[in-house]
Every structure is written in C-alpha cells, then in structure tokens.
Amino acid sequence: MAARATRQQIVDAADELFYGHGYAQTSFADIAAAVNISRGNFYYHFKTKDEILDAVIEKRLEDREWLLARWDETSDSPAARIACFIRIVIVNQAKIMAYGCPVGTLTAELAKLEHPSKNKANAIMALFRDWLIRQFIDLGHEARAEDYALHVLGWSQGVATLAQAFKDEEYITREVEKILGWLDGLVPGRAAKT
Amino acid sequence: MAARATRQQIVDAADELFYGHGYAQTSFADIAAAVNISRGNFYYHFKTKDEILDAVIEKRLEDREWLLARWDETSDSPAARIACFIRIVIVNQAKIMAYGCPVGTLTAELAKLEHPSKNKANAIMALFRDWLIRQFIDLGHEARAEDYALHVLGWSQGVATLAQAFKDEEYITREVEKILGWLDGLVPGRAAKT
DNA sequence: GTCTATACGGAGATAGAC
DNA sequence: GTCTATCTCCGTATAGAC
C-alpha cells in the first residue's frame, strides 16, 4: 500500500479514536487495530505519538477551514452563515451527545496534560472565533463583532457540554431556536426582540 | 496518623490533581508524592484507583451541596442566588482559565473513558441544574424553569471552556454582565431589556 | 498504619527480517 | 512498506516486614 494512503488511514483512525476516547487514553495498539496494521509499521509513518497528534490537529484544522469556506460560498448573507455554524450542534447531535465537541474537549484535555501541541489545538477554536468575527462585521456590528463571536462560540461549547452530560435533544433544539432568535434581532432593519 | 486524616488528605490531593491534570493522567505516584506517603500505604485506604475517583466525586458533590446551601441561606432572593452561581466564573477565574470547569471537564473525560462512575459525575451537573430549576421556580417562572436553568448552566460551561482556551478575562466579565442583564429582565415587575 | 520490595501488564519505542 | 520480536519504562496492584 502506498505510504500516503496508510498514513492517511492512520490519521483518520486516530482522529476518530482521539475524539471518542481521548488522546491520552488512545494507544498505538488501538489505532493499529483500527487500521489493521502492526504496531511496528506505525513507526515508519510517525516517529512519536505526539507526531500523530499534530497530524490529527492539522487534519481537523483543514477540515474546519474547508467547512467554513463552503459556508462562505453557499450562503449569501452573514446571518445565514452564522446560522450554519449554530446548526452544527444539531447536525452532529448524536456524536456530540456521546463525546462532546471535538474541538472543546481536545483543547481541555491538552491543557490539562500541558501538552506542547495545546496551542495548535487552540488555533482551531481561534479559527472559528475569527470566522465568526468576520461574519458579525459583515453583518454591520464591527464594534461588537468579537463580543458576539465569542458569545456564539461559547454558546456552542456550553450546549455541547450539557448535551453530552444530559443527552437531552429537546434542550439542544430549544437552545438553537433561542440563539437563532437572538441572531435575528441583530440583522439590520429588524426590530430587536428579547 | 489517624486513618481518617490520611484518607482525607489523599482525597483532597486527588481532587486537585484530577482537576489539574485529569483523572487518567494522574498516577498513584503523583498522589502519593503530594500527600507524602508511600505508594504501598495507598492500598490500605483505597483498593483501586476507581475507589479514589468515587471518593473524589462524592467530596465534590458534598462541597457543591454545601455551597448551594450557603447561598440558599445567605441570599434572600432567588435572583440573588442565581447571580451567586453566575459569579463563580469570576470567583474561580484563575483556575478556570488554567483547567476549565472541574465539573464539566470531569464529566467529559469520564464519558470518553466510558468509566463506570460517569453517572456519578453527571450527578454533580444535575445537582446544579436542579438547584437552578428551583430558583427559577421561586422567581415565578415555573413553566420555563428547566429551560432557564439549563440556559444558565450551559452558559457557565461555555464561558469556562472559552476562558480556558483564550485566557481572556475581559470576555468573562462581559459575559457575566450580559447574563446578569438577562436575569434582571426575568425578575417580576421589571421591564425586560435586551 | 505505614513502609519496602516486587509482581505483572501495557504503554511507547526500536531493531532487523522480509 | 510491513512485519515480528524485543526493549524499557511506568502504571496499578500485592506481599509481607515493621
């Protein structure tokens, strides 16, 4: 098998396993079993476990960049784009209820490990923040763009955490509706509503 | 030293270490070093690591019950009590920016480990939820009490996650002010404000 | 109650055959 | 590129002396 393909399989499997079981708790044996290669073969592609983590973080970053770029292309208003972001908690409902937010839980874990790559993981969170800031600027809220962006991002993290703890679909739906209402009030030319 | 005292020291040290480094990442050696006892002595007090985790969760639960009871006693209005809850993110700012919320990060970690005690950990989150529900009922919002309680609890989890990721004190302050404003609008006899 | 010594398994990582 | 075999370290856990 081509090195590229195997490497890709390793990264994909590690991504899933890190999300489902956590980074520290996922062993080489787990990843090797998922990809159906030997533990030894592993080290041809990655010299250390940290290298795999870096590759996973980079993959996640690229995945999210691609997703945001798609929303930029397909939605024609900033409010519609922000709504896309808000609705990921519904789109990914099942996984979020099982494992929480992949970005939030990874940054939390790496912070506790004081892992060298924690800043790289935080960059994914920053990617969302900066994208949201741009949307709120486009929406005409330049002065409060960062405030609003962090509000939405924090909202998503809170919903993911509680969705995981309580497995309550109704809660997710209600929260999405509430924040979409809030967002609606920020669209220029609309009356603000509570 | 009395068995009780040593046991208590172990639980206290484990509580701190589980919070700071995570459960899976904290070894017996770490806890033993913090308490200044030998690893062997450990097993006189706890037969397994899971037993320590259970003791830590119980301690955390009792600590929070005590805290909530104090707020019940010292604050004379439900709105003031909810405000006490909201302000913990400021009171515990430094630790939250370093390690996130002790309750949220533990439930997230145990869920990924599929640890037998994960439901016990979730009970701490449920304790806050149920207490908040009672406050919102007292505030006269019986029909939406659970909705509002989860809103505040989710808010606190989101703020904790982002505070940890971005280390931004201003953000915490702004969020506290915003949600206190929201809470203010729910107090009977006040005009709702955006 | 607390210690030292030790068993045992699983982790990350390496060496070298194919 | 992929494998098997092996090394070393560190984790939980146990045994038995003091």
Side-chain angles (χ1 to χ4, degrees), chain A:
Chain A
M1 195 186 291
R4 267 286 180 73
T6 304
R7 194 193 142 97
Q8 196 57 49
Q9 278 186 296
I10 291 173
V11 174
D12 289 347
D15 187 10
E16 283 292 314
L17 288 166
F18 289 173
Y19 179 34
H21 306 312
Y23 168 69
Q25 214 52 23
T26 302
S27 70
F28 278 27
D30 295 331
I31 306 173
V35 187
N36 250 308
I37 60 171
S38 69
R39 261 167 304 146
N41 186 6
F42 230 100
Y43 292 85
Y44 174 79
H45 302 278
F46 296 95
K47 272 186 271 297
T48 67
K49 196 182 175 186
D50 290 353
E51 275 188 23
I52 303 176
L53 176 62
D54 276 352
V56 167
I57 294 175
E58 252 153 56
K59 175 189 186 286
R60 288 193 186 180
L61 192 59
E62 282 163 18
D63 286 354
R64 271 66 178 178
E65 278 169 348
W66 181 86
L67 184 68
L68 296 178
R70 249 194 72 220
W71 290 343
D72 279 337
E73 284 167 22
T74 56
S75 297
D76 50 343
S77 81
R81 285 179 212 125
I82 298 166
C84 284
F85 176 85
I86 288 169
R87 272 189 274 264
I88 11 178
V89 301
I90 290 180
V91 174
N92 298 336
Q93 200 172 65
K95 287 201 163 186
I96 288 174
M97 290 203 296
Y99 313 119
C101 168
V103 181
T105 54
L106 183 66
T107 60
E109 181 179 4
L110 297 188
K112 299 209 187 219
L113 303 189
E114 298 208 54
H115 194 282
S117 296
K118 67 175 177 171
N119 290 333
K120 267 183 99 165
N122 283 2
I124 308 180
M125 198 74 93
L127 174 75
F128 282 132
R129 179 196 57 199
D130 296 340
W131 181 85
L132 283 166
I133 289 176
R134 262 178 280 133
Q135 306 312 316
F136 279 107
I137 290 174
D138 285 359
L139 200 57
H141 295 277
E142 182 143 10
R144 306 202 57 187
E146 192 192 344
D147 181 13
Y148 291 159
L150 288 176
H151 185 71
V152 171
L153 191 57
W155 168 89
S156 74
Q157 291 300 316
V159 168
T161 305
L162 291 201
Q164 194 278 307
F166 296 131
K167 323 276 188 218
D168 182 348
E169 294 186 25
E170 283 289 314
Y171 159 71
I172 303 177
T173 314
R174 280 198 317 262
E175 280 294 331
V176 166
E177 275 163 23
K178 269 195 290 192
I179 199 148
L180 286 177
W182 169 83
L183 177 64
D184 210 47
L186 293 179
V187 176
R190 301 251 183 145
K193 72 176 207 182
T194 311

Side-chain angles (χ1 to χ4, degrees), chain B residues 26-28 40 43 48-49:
Chain B
T26 301
S27 70
F28 278 26
Y43 291 85
T48 67
K49 194 182 175 185

